[in-house]
């Protein structure tokens, strides 16, 4: 997924028909590797932030400690991807948004060191939001650049669906998106409390439901 996202911002060898030129691995390059490491690294960092926020006891302390240790390393590929895009097609406002993302990353590291897991988690979210905006804002309105000729690039105009399809999907999004946000908010509220080892029940023996049913029939 990271490789695919990176290539949508750095380009593929597309010809005049919008077809990819070259062999099956013509997509494989340094940008693809950078994007892959960027998404994997951020996913791991985000998981550590969430563990530190939602657990207590030893797991909480270990997650926060590894978050502080690994943040500079895990965010480095994503920072490299963002800087590469800025050098290729960045503008003043996208560079400014990227600077905000850097400040958010520093704030996340500092808040985690202080034991403020909630603020650290929020700062990581700000980093992702601003970092993504700087990357994809820099290439707008191109959705897939062509490394052969910029004139062959796919844009939001020549790659979009029909007006009918866009209108129908807009209606679906207006109905579905609030529902998704609502049930995500509800599940987060239900599981809002921290989990610790004390919540894990003691080991005990039990009779599987299938075996219990068979035992009852035999009786």
């Amino acid at each position: 997924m990271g490789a695919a996202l990176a290539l949508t911002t750095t380009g593929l060898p597309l010809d005049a028909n919008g077809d990819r030129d070259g062999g099956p691995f013509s997509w494989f390059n340094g940008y693809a590797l950078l994007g892959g490491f960027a998404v994997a690294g951020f996913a791991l960092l985000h998981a550590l932030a969430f563990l530190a926020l939602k657990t207590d006891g030893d797991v909480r302390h270990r997650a926060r400690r590894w978050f502080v240790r690994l943040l500079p390393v895990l965010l480095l590929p994503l920072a490299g991807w963002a800087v590469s895009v800025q050098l290729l097609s960045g503008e003043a406002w996208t560079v400014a948004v990227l600077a905000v993302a850097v400040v958010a990353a520093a704030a996340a590291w500092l808040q985690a060191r202080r034991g403020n897991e909630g603020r650290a988690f929020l700062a990581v979210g700000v980093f992702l939001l601003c970092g993504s905006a700087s990357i994809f804002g820099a290439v707008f309105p191109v959705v897939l650049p062509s490394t052969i000729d910029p004139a062959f690039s796919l844009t939001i105009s020549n790659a979009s669906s029909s007006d009918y399809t866009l209108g129908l999907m807009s209606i679906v999004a207006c109905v579905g998106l609030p529902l998704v946000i609502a049930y995500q908010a509800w599940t987060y509220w239900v599981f809002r409390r921290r989990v610790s080892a004390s919540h894990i029940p003691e080991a005990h023996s039990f009779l599987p439901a299938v075996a219990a049913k068979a035992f009852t029939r035999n009786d």
Side-chain angles (χ1 to χ4, degrees), residues 86 90-98 133-134 136-138 140:
Q86 301 307 316
E91 300 180 12
W93 75 269
T94 58
V95 174
V97 174
L98 181 59
S134 68
F136 293 101
F140 181 85

Side-chain angles (χ1 to χ4, degrees), residues 140-177:
F140 181 85
V142 177
V143 295
L144 185 57
S146 172
T147 56
I148 298 176
D149 189 335
F152 301 157
S153 300
L154 299 180
T155 66
I156 59 174
S157 298
N158 60 28
S160 64
S161 299
S162 63
D163 292 341
Y164 175 79
T165 302
L166 293 175
L168 181 61
M169 292 306 299
S170 297
I171 295 174
V172 172
C174 289
V175 175
L177 187 59

Side-chain angles (χ1 to χ4, degrees), residues 106-125:
W109 183 85
L110 182 62
Q111 293 299 328
R113 283 203 62 183
R114 294 176 176 176
N116 300 323
E117 292 93 349
R119 294 180 181 179
F121 184 80
L122 180 62
V124 170

